[in-house]
Amino acid sequence: MKLIDFLRQDAVRYADKTAIVCGEQQNTYSELFSMVEQKAEAMTTEHRHAIVVRAAQDIDFIATYFAAHLAGKPIVPLEHDLPEEKFNEIAQSTALADIPDGVADILFTTGTTGRPKGTMLSHEAIAADGENLMIAHKFTTELTFVISGPLNHIGSLSKLWPSVMVGATIHITQGMKDLDQFFLALEKGGNRTATFLVPASIRMLLQFSKERLQRLADRIDFIETGAAAIAEADMLALRQALPHTRLYNTYASTETGIICTYDYSRNPCIAGCLGPAMKNSTVSITKEGTVACGGKTLMTGYMNEPGMTAEMLRNGTVYTHDQGYIDERGNLRLSGRADDIINVGGFKVAPTEVEDAAMANPAVKDCVCIATPHPITGQALKLLVVTTDGSPIDKRALATFIKSRLEAYKVPMLYETVTKIERTFNGKINRKHYKTSQP
């Protein structure tokens, strides 16, 4: 079954059940599917072979998304505030593209290259992703899933898929800037609410709204995180704040789909631990130590980029740049990205490991480990730190703290207090910014 088949089924099976909520507006499954049918009928008369739209956080976009699936046309959801020139450029390239049959979504991602790539996802991949999440995270009809992230990226968009597959309620908010709206959505969801939060949002909630979050401890069924690495200290703090909530750390990307997940509410809090492969996926480690993914969730390829597709997708396997290993329990454990590794006099250091050690220090609010030139070792480690109270960091104390957790060669030589760490929209450290800014 395609995702749209599940929505059609919901419109009959759960006709009067609330399907979607956004602000004061809400629609039942039968109402939502009627909107989808009307939009799909209009789309069938259009000459465009793909629907390029701005992904707004509203019900109209959700109806448009499913309407494209019903009309049999790929949908290309773009950032809501994308400049008009860039929007038109992508729309024009999509109109000229040779899009394979069976492609449902084309999601644009910059990845680490900074160059936008249209990642094509098939109907089969989307259904497989939805089933992975539905089974692993135990989605049920009674669940209300709160979506606060942008719907043009797989992190939040993918939560529509299992929700529709089981007939759950979807509550759309306008992001995490309005925390009152976010908490109101959690409260309205009753005793079975869930949400997806990037690690940066989790840290923000723990720092500024921990007591408010704790008051909902018995109502939040589960929280999933992903898109970026979550620090062990934040895993522990969230588990303490929500002792009855299932907490998941998931490995996924637009290219691979939803691959692994790890429940750290019932297992040790281990940074970089992402659990075993889900039902429709496989994960392995190459001889170079990088992660390779297989199964039904993989992308079809990059739109208009056969060469780039061939580099990453070969013989039914997506080869990532993530470094890691599979432990004795079958859990995928990440140690960073191959292109982020810093060579310090022959010793290879994953900056994420240094950052995770530093983030366990209460004085550190945020940080990034970067390479800086060194006359003897070629490169040295430098830690840029945002302090919790805004005062200059005690360099000696922090170095001693990190040394108690890591090998000596992984302890940064230099430290600098900064006002903020550059991050991407989904909370990942913008390492490209720091690499290009170095001499």
Side-chain angles (χ1 to χ4, degrees):
M1 290 176 65
K2 296 179 180 178
L3 188 63
I4 191 63
D5 297 324
F6 285 98
L7 184 62
R8 182 187 289 108
Q9 181 177 276
D10 293 339
V12 176
R13 184 180 298 179
Y14 308 115
D16 299 324
K17 184 181 187 295
T18 301
I20 190 161
V21 179
C22 184
E24 297 300 317
Q25 184 183 357
Q26 64 180 49
N27 293 96
T28 65
Y29 268 106
S30 62
E31 291 170 342
L32 177 60
F33 193 68
S34 292
M35 293 169 60
V36 169
E37 286 184 310
Q38 291 174 14
K39 285 179 173 288
E41 186 177 355
M43 287 177 185
T44 56
T45 64
E46 297 179 3
H47 296 297
R48 293 185 295 167
H49 70 308
I51 307 299
V52 183
V53 295
R54 296 180 184 276
Q57 300 290 114
D58 58 32
I59 294 177
D60 185 70
F61 167 71
I62 300 298
T64 300
Y65 175 79
F66 285 113
H69 283 209
L70 184 59
K73 297 191 176 187
I75 185 165
V76 188
L78 301 176
E79 291 181 41
H80 185 249
D81 58 354
L82 189 71
E84 194 68 23
E85 182 179 349
K86 194 66 181 176
F87 180 93
N88 292 335
E89 179 184 323
I90 291 176
Q92 184 176 9
S93 65
T94 302
L96 300 173
D98 182 15
I99 302 173
D101 292 337
V103 170
D105 295 7
I106 302 175
L107 305 182
F108 272 80
T109 174
T110 56
T112 57
T113 65
R115 177 184 174 188
K117 305 185 292 281
T119 309
M120 299 182 291
L121 307 181
S122 68
H123 287 282
E124 180 187 19
I126 287 172
D129 281 323
E131 187 178 30
N132 273 358
L133 289 168
M134 178 183 69
I135 295 172
H137 296 171
K138 304 178 179 68
F139 275 72
T140 66
T141 305
E142 295 77 23
L143 187 73
T144 294
F145 200 98
V146 178
I147 295 178
S148 59
L151 289 163
N152 59 303
H153 293 282
I154 196 170
S156 292
L157 181 64
S158 64
K159 305 312 173 285
L160 293 178
W161 306 339
S163 297
V164 166
M165 291 173 79
V166 301
T169 297
I170 302 158
H171 195 135
I172 307 291
T173 72
Q174 302 302 313
M176 295 296 291
K177 291 183 179 179
D178 187 344
L179 287 182
D180 287 336
Q181 184 193 60
F182 174 73
F183 277 106
L184 182 62
L186 291 179
E187 292 164 2
K188 281 186 174 181
N191 295 325
R192 294 295 300 275
T193 60
T195 192
F196 171 82
L197 297 169
V198 296
S201 294
I202 289 175
R203 174 161 279 261
M204 179 181 67
L205 290 177
L206 290 171
Q207 288 181 340
F208 302 113
S209 303
K210 186 175 181 178
E211 291 184 2
R212 193 171 180 182
L213 188 65
Q214 287 176 311
R215 289 198 292 270
L216 296 171
D218 294 328
R219 308 181 66 151
I220 303 176
D221 190 26
F222 70 88
I223 294 177
E224 180 195 3
T225 191
I230 181 171
E232 181 181 324
D234 289 342
M235 297 170 82
L236 287 165
L238 189 62
R239 190 168 72 173
Q240 183 181 38
L242 301 173
H244 309 302
T245 299
R246 288 178 285 123
L247 305 171
Y248 295 104
N249 192 17
T250 298
Y251 180 68
S253 71
T254 315
E255 291 86 351
T256 64
I258 318 295
I259 300 294
C260 299
T261 198
Y262 178 71
D263 184 352
Y264 62 92
S265 64
R266 291 166 172 78
N267 295 293
C269 293
I270 305 170
C273 187
L274 293 149
M278 299 181 186
K279 177 185 176 182
N280 296 310
S281 305
T282 65
V283 64
S284 60
I285 306 300
T286 68
K287 63 181 181 180
E288 292 79 22
T290 55
V291 178
C293 301
K296 299 178 181 179
T297 65
L298 306 184
M299 68 172 180
T300 300
Y302 293 120
M303 186 183 75
N304 292 336
E305 296 285 358
M308 194 177 293
T309 297
E311 287 179 13
M312 195 161 191
L313 176 61
R314 302 188 297 277
N315 300 320
T317 301
V318 166
Y319 293 89
T320 77
H321 295 288
D322 295 321
Q323 287 204 316
Y325 64 97
I326 296 174
D327 67 18
E328 66 282 357
R329 294 180 178 271
N331 295 318
L332 174 63
R333 303 275 289 270
L334 290 190
S335 55
R337 287 183 63 84
D339 42 10
D340 291 335
I341 296 297
I342 301 171
N343 190 326
V344 181
F347 290 100
K348 305 294 175 58
V349 181
T352 52
E353 190 176 4
V354 180
E355 291 152 6
D356 191 62
M359 289 290 278
N361 190 309
V364 178
K365 181 179 180 182
D366 203 359
C367 66
V368 60
C369 179
I370 64 174
T372 189
H374 190 274
I376 298 175
T377 59
Q379 292 186 113
L381 302 180
K382 181 177 182 179
L383 194 68
L384 306 183
V385 179
V386 179
T387 56
T388 304
D389 60 6
S391 62
I393 191 70
D394 185 333
K395 301 175 183 179
R396 185 180 296 275
L398 182 56
T400 301
F401 179 86
I402 295 173
K403 190 174 181 179
S404 70
R405 291 170 170 257
L406 299 176
E407 300 92 324
Y409 69 88
K410 295 178 181 177
V411 179
M413 181 181 295
L414 302 170
Y415 299 82
E416 180 181 341
T417 305
V418 295
T419 57
K420 73 169 185 175
I421 301 301
E422 296 294 334
R423 291 181 176 272
T424 64
F425 77 93
N426 59 10
K428 291 182 181 179
I429 293 174
N430 188 351
R431 298 194 190 277
K432 185 172 181 291
H433 167 84
Y434 292 102
K435 288 177 181 178
T436 56
S437 64
Q438 293 302 302

